[in-house]
Amino acid sequence: MEDRQKAQAMLERVGEFKSEPLTNFSVPENAAAFEAALAKVRGQFGEKHPLVIGGEEIWTEATLVTTNPAHPDQVVGIFSKADGELAKQAVEAAEAAFATWSRTPATERAEILLRAAALMRERRHELSAWMVYEVGKNWVEADADTVEAIDFLEYYARQMLKLELVEVYQTPGELDTLHYIPLGVGVVIPPWNFPLAITVGMSSAAIVAGNAIVLKPASDSPAIAWAYFRILQDAGLPKGVCNFLSGPGAIAGEVLVDHPKTRFIAFTGSKEVGLRINERAARPQPGQRWIKRTILEMGGKDAVVVDETADLDAAARDIILSAFGFQGQKCSAGSRAIIVDKVYDALLEKVAEQARKILVIGDPDKREHYTGPVVSKSQFRTVTEYIEIGKQEGRLLYGGKVLDRDGYFIEPTIFADVAPDARIAQEEIFGPVLTISKTADWKEAIDIANGTEFGLTGAYYSADPERIAYAKQEFHVGNLYINRKCTGALVGIHPFGGFNMSGTDSKAGGPDYLLLFTQAKSIGQKLP
Ligand code: NDP
């Protein structure tokens, strides 16, 4: 069978993409299974892990140690630490693997993603448990991260098959075709905050499109990336197609980005690092034969706008969920609420009430706790500094106290009456801090929402169809939500990525995403 026919047959066999359901933890068996996974992962604390380059395990003397942010004396994993030399070797190993992987039929590549998805389902609670312990996600957030990862695998496998089926018009006397071929060696650099979903999303898209990659996990979350890497190995991914290279971004990351054989960089993380990668990648290196492509997803300062026609109870609840899910450490977090004058005081009261109800602080390995620690000591310092700035720039409505606890716990904190141009309303804090600003009317509220350098997500709460129509056009963000929270994008349903300094709007989990990892070759063949 021809590749096209094989892709068509496989698409029919696997059927349409369907979102993986979240776990219902109120079912006692599910809760028990999660407890068991937590215990299993605790039993693996402190294990050592190698780099894997070209299928070969490499153990370095220098190590990178990750700890549990709820109990920083607990070592979660010990990882080998790549230096510049090993980073170069990893690029070369990927280049060698690319020669055969790029010629492997799309159906075989897609099969590997589907096998990985099946393994991920089997190990789903274990994967989530790593996130509870290595980055401090609560049960529900960790489960959602794993579900998103499974969705990416299932979705990109199908998207690759669909790309095989793209057709062009025919001119008489010719056979005209278009083929999406891979780019080459890619460097995949994810952040720690969606340590499974984003790692899986960026890397699986690159791999299924026929590229070979170097995966450099974030230094705060290599154990989760390692659990995923093992799944790729178990799913039968050939050696060298994905090389596992834990190590500091500033060293290994830069060598990978600069390497003349690197063809593209898929990055998700802060604006500062993203812009630096963009600049370095633009500079051609001796021996480089292409323009490097960068796929950059960066920060946000996302806003929830509420007008006087909105359902205030729903808005209050969603303001809290948008701002404080995973301690506000989401690029999509609604870290600003912008509320019109007429309902400002009433809504503030409701917001504080919801905060008291929802934001139960404690170890994230206990199901009843919503708010865990922030990821690291440095993140703890940064966020507490911003809280001090907030005390000058706004009126403390909720939280703000120093907690006497082991671990990097920060009390979720809300500042009201914040001027839209205040630092805490403009800079990405990436922690549990919400600013609330008052506006004269709904149009001004949307202007304020648009008034930062970012443009990632946003939510508008209103019952007025005309205003909603205006918001759909004028609220300038990559992911806009109407009358629902601004976090929780679903693969295949809400393709994700932002405008302006939020990145290249690459729309992860959308129909165009794989194109970023391919180049199209058009062939016109004269018929005899
Ligand atoms: P960072 O930018 O600090 O790090 C992201 C990744 O880049 C890490 O793997 C890091 O490695 C690596 N890195 C650091 N320095 C360099 C360098 N000089 N060259 C190459 N790689 C480097 O971000 P965080 O991990 O702290 O993640 C939080 C940020 O991510 C927030 O700004 C958030 O908004 C953004 N984000 C954006 C999303 C989006 O889709 N738009 C989604 C999720 C998060 P190491 O860990 O070793 O330093």
Side-chain angles (χ1 to χ4, degrees), residues 55 63 94 129 148 152 197 214 240 263 276 278-279 300 307 312 315 331 350 361 363 375 422 445 473 495 503 518:
T63 54
E148 190 176 352
F152 277 133
V214 179
R263 176 68 179 83
R276 185 178 171 83
N278 199 39
E279 195 178 334
D307 78 12
L312 297 189
C331 49
K350 287 178 190 289
I361 303 173
D363 275 15
V375 74
Q473 187 154 324
T518 63

Side-chain angles (χ1 to χ4, degrees), residues 364-381:
D365 67 353
K366 301 283 175 298
R367 188 184 146 206
E368 62 274 21
H369 294 150
Y370 183 88
T371 299
V374 295
V375 74
S376 64
K377 195 173 196 166
S378 69
Q379 198 69 13
F380 179 87
R381 256 193 243 117

Side-chain angles (χ1 to χ4, degrees), residues 49-60 62-64 66 78-94 185-191 199 203 207 212-230 232-233 240-259 262:
H49 304 283
L51 313 173
V52 182
I53 298 179
E56 194 191 325
E57 294 191 349
I58 294 170
W59 302 80
T60 63
T63 54
L64 197 158
T66 58
I78 302 173
F79 285 81
S80 294
K81 194 175 186 177
D83 58 13
E85 200 40 53
L86 288 163
K88 283 184 198 155
Q89 283 179 30
V91 172
E92 275 147 31
V185 173
V187 173
V188 175
I189 308 179
T199 306
S203 60
I207 289 169
I213 62 168
V214 179
L215 171 61
K216 194 221 82 68
S219 296
D220 283 323
S221 57
I224 300 153
W226 176 252
Y228 161 58
F229 180 74
R230 296 297 300 272
L232 288 180
Q233 285 181 318
V241 176
C242 177
N243 299 279
F244 183 84
L245 198 84
S246 40
I251 301 171
E254 300 224 343
V255 174
L256 296 171
V257 171
D258 290 349
H259 201 291
T262 294

Side-chain angles (χ1 to χ4, degrees), residues 140-435:
V140 172
E141 294 283 352
D143 185 59
D145 200 316
T146 304
V147 158
E148 190 176 352
I150 295 170
D151 283 350
F152 277 133
L153 292 168
E154 293 280 348
Y155 182 77
Y156 292 143
R158 287 168 174 78
Q159 287 305 122
M160 188 62 232
L161 299 174
K162 288 183 182 171
L163 269 191
E164 286 286 283
L165 299 176
V166 166
E167 286 182 359
V168 288
Y169 291 112
Q170 302 293 305
T171 193
E174 269 189 24
L175 173 63
D176 299 303
T177 52
L178 187 68
H179 307 267
Y180 288 93
I181 65 169
L183 293 168
V185 173
V187 173
V188 175
I189 308 179
W192 50 264
N193 75 324
F194 280 92
L196 188 63
I198 293 179
T199 306
V200 170
M202 294 197 297
S203 60
S204 66
I207 289 169
V208 80
N211 303 287
I213 62 168
V214 179
L215 171 61
K216 194 221 82 68
S219 296
D220 283 323
S221 57
I224 300 153
W226 176 252
Y228 161 58
F229 180 74
R230 296 297 300 272
I231 285 178
L232 288 180
Q233 285 181 318
D234 293 349
L237 189 72
K239 289 175 181 167
V241 176
C242 177
N243 299 279
F244 183 84
L245 198 84
S246 40
I251 301 171
E254 300 224 343
V255 174
L256 296 171
V257 171
D258 290 349
H259 201 291
K261 295 202 173 132
T262 294
R263 176 68 179 83
F264 68 94
I265 300 114
F267 166 85
T268 306
S270 62
K271 181 190 97 180
E272 289 68 28
V273 176
L275 292 181
R276 185 178 171 83
I277 289 175
N278 199 39
E279 195 178 334
R280 292 183 82 99
R283 226 178 289 150
Q285 302 293 332
Q288 184 180 320
R289 300 180 63 182
W290 41 65
I291 301 168
K292 288 179 189 172
R293 192 178 290 180
T294 53
I295 301 147
L296 308 168
E297 287 305 319
M298 313 190 306
K301 189 72 186 174
D302 312 307
V304 177
V305 171
V306 185
D307 78 12
E308 70 280 15
T309 68
D311 172 345
L312 297 189
D313 291 317
R317 188 197 59 231
D318 291 355
I319 284 172
I320 293 300
L321 297 177
S322 300
F324 296 115
F326 188 33
Q327 293 76 261
Q329 301 170 118
K330 297 185 187 181
C331 49
S332 55
S335 55
R336 296 181 294 151
I338 302 161
I339 302 169
V340 299
D341 198 356
K342 277 189 196 144
V343 290
Y344 187 76
D345 292 332
L347 187 51
L348 242 52
E349 237 173 72
K350 287 178 190 289
V351 166
E353 190 187 312
Q354 288 294 324
R356 281 189 291 274
K357 198 167 122 194
I358 297 171
L359 303 174
V360 182
I361 303 173
D363 275 15
D365 67 353
K366 301 283 175 298
R367 188 184 146 206
E368 62 274 21
H369 294 150
Y370 183 88
T371 299
V374 295
V375 74
S376 64
K377 195 173 196 166
S378 69
Q379 198 69 13
F380 179 87
R381 256 193 243 117
T382 309
V383 177
T384 44
E385 277 167 26
Y386 270 112
I387 290 176
E388 288 313 306
I389 296 170
K391 288 177 183 167
Q392 312 300 315
E393 290 188 330
R395 170 167 66 87
L396 188 63
L397 179 75
Y398 184 88
K401 291 188 297 295
V402 175
L403 298 170
D404 181 22
R405 296 185 66 104
D406 186 22
Y408 310 127
F409 289 87
I410 295 178
E411 194 179 24
T413 298
I414 306 175
F415 292 106
D417 308 346
V418 177
D421 60 353
R423 274 188 69 190
I424 56 165
Q426 288 289 322
E427 296 170 17
E428 187 186 44
I429 298 174
F430 219 59
V433 180
L434 167 68
T435 70

